[in-house]
Amino acid sequence: MSGQITANVTTAGALHACHAPAVLQSSMQNTSSPSAKFTHKSSGTPPLRHTIAWGLFLAAVCALAGWGIWHYPLLRAERLSHLSVKQLELRTAKDKNDPQVLYALGVKLNRMQDYTHADPVLRRAVGLDPDNAAYRNAWANALMGSGLVTAAYGELKQYSGTHPDDAVAHAMLGRFYLTQGSSERARDEYLSAVRLNSNRAEYWSGLGSAYASLHEFSRSNKALNRALALKPSDGPDHLLLAQNLSISSQNSAAAEREYQTALHLMPRSIQALLLYSRYLITVSATPGSIQMALGMVQKVLAENPQNPEGCLLEAKAELMLGRKFDAAAVLQKAAALNPYSVYSAKELAAIYTLQKNARLASYWQKAAQTRQQENLAYNTLNSDLQQDPKNRRLLLQMARTLGIRGDAQGALRTYALALGAAQDSAPVLIAASVALTDGGHASTALSMAQRALALAQDNPDAHEAMGDVLLAMNLPFSAEKEFNKTIQWEPQRKSDIAKRITAWQQNRTIHPTQAMQQYQLAMQLTAKRCGIGPMPTQAVRLLNDALVAEPENAKILASLLQTAIAEEHYHSAEKLGRQLTKMFPADANAALLYGIALTETASTADDYKLAATEIRLAARHKGLQASWNYAVGELALKVQDYKDAAAHLEESLTLAPSHIRVWQSLALAAKGLGNHALQVNAEQNASALLRQQQAVRSAMDTLLANPGSMKSYTVLCKLLTQTGRVMQLSELHRQYKIALQHTSKGV
């Protein structure tokens, strides 16, 4: 034992000597030499230089140890994970060859679902450290998030091929197969992973998920129990185990215990709340459990009122508690959000039958029958496909059915099988996009159509699919561009495309979108003012909300542009005008309004040239001569061409003499010319018209406050007659009759 200690001490001493400072080494050599200048007894105090040397050495060792701890990979990874995206981007800008920083940034971008930017970042991390499984897995996630499934599979497969004895490689591939619905392959990969390393909970968890999707619940439960033995606080595993137990056995107590544990571990999990609620309603079904389920469902709906499963469960709970009539409104919502739910349609039919509402009862009875037939057709197709899983006709039929039902991933997988192509290939993406759009899921189809176009710019099918998506999203002008590209390659498609556009227009007329309903309401609110004064604030708000929903709606854009010009909000008008003229480059009125806005916001010679170009488009339009002369005069005034400005402004007033702004501009032009008489005359006219305008607006406000008042109506009629506002007077008569009708009905 003493020999071992001596050997260890000797080795440690040798190591220390190797790393000791030169001063220390020389002093050690001197003390060992017979001719040393200084000799020391073991009990004496060492000289000062020895103390300093040892102090420096120990400080260096501590510093080295501190640096090592600070840069220890696990600790560094933990620190990096707490940095923001901006901080990580600054670090990568300084050093593009640090894979840990690149990985941390890529993971953050993945979590934000910014896969496009995560892809190159993680690709570089993998390039710098190709044997790091975590980097490879994160990159695969980014590729899958971008829809590049084949590329993701290639990376994972390559890694598992070069690391056949690495459990992580098999687990990553297993997880990939699970996301793609290849349960048998996922099971095989996870089995390989647990054989190589049976101490990782996530491998057993993945195996349990694979078995569950294969309906091998007994094996799934065993795997999940192994996972929970290693990681007891894993909420998703408890939740899956609860589902398995509720499906595969009569042990309701065990299932409920697992649901409760899962919910305790994940109290805000929407999935846990919904699954446990469904279990309580369908299996337990006691008044107490139903009330508990209703409380959990209402938590879900408080966060997302449009959750389809939540609405359906809430309706079921209300009905089971005997509150049939209270459930009607909830059932209406559930039926709309769950278009294949027979239950909600049947229950609505029953409720309306009890209420003796024959029309709605008949409607929902027919809806229930239609939904039942659709579900029967789907189940029959599914059964036929199970018997003949390689039948191309059945696969294509199933793929389209899944797309119409809104199952994007299911449609992609099935089209890939039917067409014998990768899920991220252009033909598969186009087919899935078309099916989703036809089913009313254009927003889901958009990303697929975009990826198809990126892969096949010269494919007319890709452009047509994108056109269909944009049209369904109420973006007709963007859609038209895509359709025109298709027609350039294949002119024979023009007739079919024209029919689809006509059908879209007719459908919008019969069934106005929410944006068009907002537009119509805004116009009704504006009409009540008979064109007197500014557009009501509520109407402007409605139009802005409508524009967010339909940014290419020409009616909404034109209304907002006219309002912005009238209210002299020229910067807003410029943006609206730019958008409208881009859509309608030949529209003289849009160009003229845009030109006026540009004139008012111009700051350079090029700005004025652009304004002149837009205004010029309306030069020969007969109905716009008053506005065109004003626009030309205003532009001339801005560039200090007072003579030309005065001529055009006077011409505008000849055609429309009651425009206050034109008189004000003419006064400025006259001042620039030194024509005092014209200046005074223009200023007097502007002031008189301004007083008239204020009086008319005040009378209009009084009438709106008392819609049925004959006195207020008479005062306003007199003012409009005196000021020659014939069109506004006519509209006032019409609006007053409507107001009287509403008043007599008590509206």
Side-chain angles (χ1 to χ4, degrees):
M1 184 70 179
S2 61
Q4 290 178 356
I5 293 172
T6 306
N8 290 337
V9 171
T10 305
T11 306
L15 289 172
H16 280 299
C18 290
H19 293 89
V23 175
L24 178 60
Q25 289 190 24
S26 63
S27 66
M28 291 170 69
Q29 289 169 3
N30 287 335
T31 54
S32 62
S33 170
S35 59
K37 293 182 181 178
F38 301 101
T39 58
H40 308 287
K41 297 178 182 179
S42 59
S43 60
T45 303
L48 180 61
R49 61 175 183 171
H50 287 196
T51 304
I52 294 171
W54 273 107
L56 291 171
F57 172 65
L58 290 173
V61 169
C62 290
L64 188 61
W67 184 92
I69 292 169
W70 181 255
H71 288 82
Y72 185 65
L74 291 177
L75 294 176
R76 186 165 185 256
E78 176 66 18
R79 287 199 316 279
L80 291 171
S81 69
H82 292 295
L83 297 181
S84 66
V85 169
K86 189 172 183 180
Q87 288 171 321
L88 289 167
E89 284 175 339
L90 288 171
R91 289 203 177 198
T92 55
K94 290 179 181 177
D95 185 1
K96 295 181 180 180
N97 295 319
D98 188 332
Q100 260 194 309
V101 177
L102 291 165
Y103 168 71
L105 175 58
V107 168
K108 290 265 185 185
L109 293 170
N110 274 350
R111 285 176 185 163
M112 294 164 60
Q113 297 186 358
D114 188 357
Y115 302 114
T116 305
H117 290 105
D119 175 7
V121 171
L122 290 164
R123 181 189 295 119
R124 184 163 184 81
V126 170
L128 292 165
D129 189 356
D131 292 322
N132 189 301
Y135 299 176
R136 187 81 59 144
N137 191 44
W139 184 24
N141 289 339
L143 291 169
M144 283 193 285
S146 302
L148 304 173
V149 180
T150 306
Y153 172 72
E155 287 302 318
L156 294 173
K157 190 68 177 173
Q158 180 195 35
Y159 186 81
S160 77
T162 55
H163 299 76
D165 297 325
D166 188 344
V168 178
H170 291 285
M172 289 193 306
L173 201 53
R175 180 174 170 276
F176 170 82
Y177 284 134
L178 267 183
T179 62
Q180 300 305 303
S182 300
S183 302
E184 291 182 353
R185 289 184 176 182
R187 174 202 60 197
D188 294 342
E189 292 299 332
Y190 275 118
L191 280 171
S192 297
V194 296
R195 279 195 213 100
L196 291 164
N197 185 352
S198 60
N199 295 319
R200 294 292 293 270
E202 58 267 35
Y203 302 167
W204 289 107
S205 177
L207 183 59
S209 297
Y211 276 131
S213 56
L214 291 167
H215 302 288
E216 296 184 34
F217 298 112
S218 177
R219 290 181 175 179
S220 176
N221 293 347
K222 288 179 182 177
L224 290 170
N225 280 319
R226 287 290 300 270
L228 289 168
L230 293 164
K231 192 176 180 183
S233 60
D234 192 288
D237 283 348
H238 282 288
L239 189 60
L240 182 54
L241 184 56
Q243 287 179 267
N244 287 353
L245 290 168
S246 63
I247 294 169
S248 63
S249 73
Q250 301 299 317
N251 192 348
S252 58
E256 190 158 355
R257 188 167 58 250
E258 292 297 333
Y259 275 123
Q260 289 171 351
T261 304
L263 202 54
H264 173 73
L265 293 166
M266 305 181 296
R268 295 180 62 83
S269 167
I270 300 297
Q271 187 184 20
L273 287 165
L274 289 175
L275 287 171
Y276 189 24
S277 299
R278 189 199 300 164
Y279 172 82
L280 291 172
I281 290 170
T282 57
V283 179
S284 184
T286 63
S289 64
I290 294 167
Q291 193 66 51
M292 187 190 299
L294 184 59
M296 289 191 288
V297 168
Q298 286 169 347
K299 281 185 183 179
V300 173
L301 294 175
E303 288 196 22
N304 179 12
Q306 303 300 313
N307 186 289
E309 177 78 0
C311 288
L312 193 57
L313 287 171
E314 184 183 24
K316 284 184 177 181
E318 294 282 11
L319 287 169
M320 292 175 78
L321 290 169
R323 302 197 283 257
K324 280 186 177 290
F325 297 115
D326 292 341
V330 183
L331 277 167
Q332 288 272 15
K333 191 175 179 181
L337 293 170
N338 298 272
Y340 299 99
S341 167
V342 178
Y343 172 86
S344 54
K346 278 186 174 180
E347 292 297 336
L348 279 167
I351 287 171
Y352 287 123
T353 301
L354 285 172
Q355 292 179 344
K356 297 182 179 180
N357 188 329
R359 183 179 64 83
L360 286 176
S362 174
Y363 172 84
W364 285 110
Q365 282 168 359
K366 289 177 181 176
Q369 289 171 0
T370 301
R371 293 178 180 204
Q372 201 159 14
Q373 289 168 359
E374 288 173 344
N375 288 340
L376 179 62
Y378 175 80
N379 292 333
T380 302
L381 176 60
N382 195 35
S383 178
D384 292 344
L385 199 53
Q386 285 177 352
Q387 293 177 13
D388 189 2
K390 294 184 180 180
N391 187 307
R392 190 171 186 271
R393 179 184 62 80
L394 293 176
L395 284 167
L396 286 170
Q397 193 177 343
M398 176 57 85
R400 179 164 174 76
T401 301
L402 291 169
I404 287 172
R405 284 176 167 244
D407 184 353
Q409 292 305 314
L412 279 173
R413 284 197 298 268
T414 314
Y415 270 124
L417 290 170
L419 300 175
Q423 288 186 34
D424 52 351
S425 64
V428 170
L429 291 165
I430 291 167
S433 169
V434 170
L436 286 161
T437 304
D438 290 348
H441 311 286
S443 56
T444 306
L446 178 61
S447 61
M448 295 182 187
Q450 288 170 332
R451 294 203 300 270
L453 269 180
L455 292 167
Q457 280 287 337
D458 298 334
N459 187 327
D461 291 337
H463 287 284
E464 187 172 356
M466 177 59 86
D468 285 333
V469 169
L470 294 170
L471 194 63
M473 294 177 72
N474 298 305
L475 299 168
F477 302 99
S478 296
E480 188 178 4
K481 289 179 182 178
E482 298 300 332
F483 287 141
N484 286 338
K485 290 175 184 176
T486 299
I487 293 166
Q488 285 174 5
W489 279 304
E490 297 189 9
Q492 67 272 21
R493 297 194 191 187
K494 185 175 182 178
S495 176
D496 287 339
I497 289 172
K499 286 177 184 176
R500 290 209 295 280
I501 294 172
T502 302
W504 174 80
Q505 291 169 337
Q506 290 173 345
N507 185 61
R508 279 174 64 86
T509 303
I510 299 167
H511 305 289
T513 61
Q514 185 178 353
M516 283 308 295
Q517 290 173 16
Q518 289 173 318
Y519 168 77
Q520 289 163 2
L521 181 55
M523 293 301 100
Q524 289 169 14
L525 291 169
T526 305
K528 287 181 180 180
R529 293 197 65 90
C530 308
I532 299 168
M535 180 180 281
T537 305
Q538 187 183 354
V540 175
R541 191 181 300 119
L542 283 166
L543 288 174
N544 280 315
D545 289 345
L547 189 64
V548 172
E550 294 186 12
E552 291 186 0
N553 190 309
K555 289 183 177 179
I556 297 168
L557 279 167
S559 296
L560 283 171
L561 176 58
Q562 288 169 353
T563 301
I565 292 288
E567 296 300 307
E568 300 183 9
H569 298 154
Y570 294 117
H571 287 287
S572 296
E574 183 186 345
K575 291 177 183 176
L576 291 162
R578 187 185 303 115
Q579 190 172 350
L580 197 58
T581 53
K582 190 177 181 181
M583 290 161 49
F584 298 100
D587 188 308
N589 189 47
L592 183 58
L593 292 173
Y594 182 36
I596 292 170
L598 286 169
T599 300
E600 298 297 336
T601 59
S603 59
T604 66
D606 288 339
D607 292 340
Y608 288 119
K609 283 180 183 177
L610 179 58
T613 302
E614 295 295 333
I615 292 168
R616 199 176 298 123
L617 289 173
R620 297 182 182 179
H621 199 288
K622 291 182 180 179
L624 297 174
Q625 285 306 296
S627 297
W628 177 78
N629 274 290
Y630 161 68
V632 175
E634 192 71 17
L635 181 60
L637 184 62
K638 288 283 184 180
V639 297
Q640 299 181 1
D641 185 351
Y642 300 118
K643 184 178 180 181
D644 193 42
H648 281 287
L649 292 168
E650 285 181 309
E651 181 64 24
S652 176
L653 288 167
T654 303
L655 298 167
S658 60
H659 282 250
I660 298 170
R661 180 61 194 268
V662 184
W663 282 109
Q664 290 171 336
S665 294
L666 180 59
L668 291 172
K671 184 179 180 181
L673 287 169
N675 188 333
H676 183 67
L678 180 59
Q679 180 186 347
V680 170
N681 180 56
E683 286 172 348
Q684 288 174 346
N685 278 307
S687 297
L689 286 169
L690 190 59
R691 286 193 296 273
Q692 286 179 7
Q693 183 189 74
Q694 289 168 346
V696 169
R697 287 186 178 186
S698 177
M700 183 76 245
D701 291 339
T702 303
L703 180 60
L704 287 173
N706 305 279
S709 170
M710 178 58 75
K711 182 182 178 182
S712 300
Y713 170 67
T714 305
V715 169
L716 184 55
C717 284
K718 186 178 178 181
L719 281 169
L720 292 175
T721 304
Q722 288 173 349
T723 55
R725 303 185 184 205
V726 180
M727 291 179 64
Q728 291 172 335
L729 184 63
S730 174
E731 180 62 22
L732 176 63
H733 292 325
R734 193 178 74 83
Q735 289 294 330
Y736 187 66
K737 286 178 183 178
I738 295 170
L740 287 176
Q741 289 171 1
H742 282 202
T743 305
S744 64
K745 292 177 182 178
V747 177

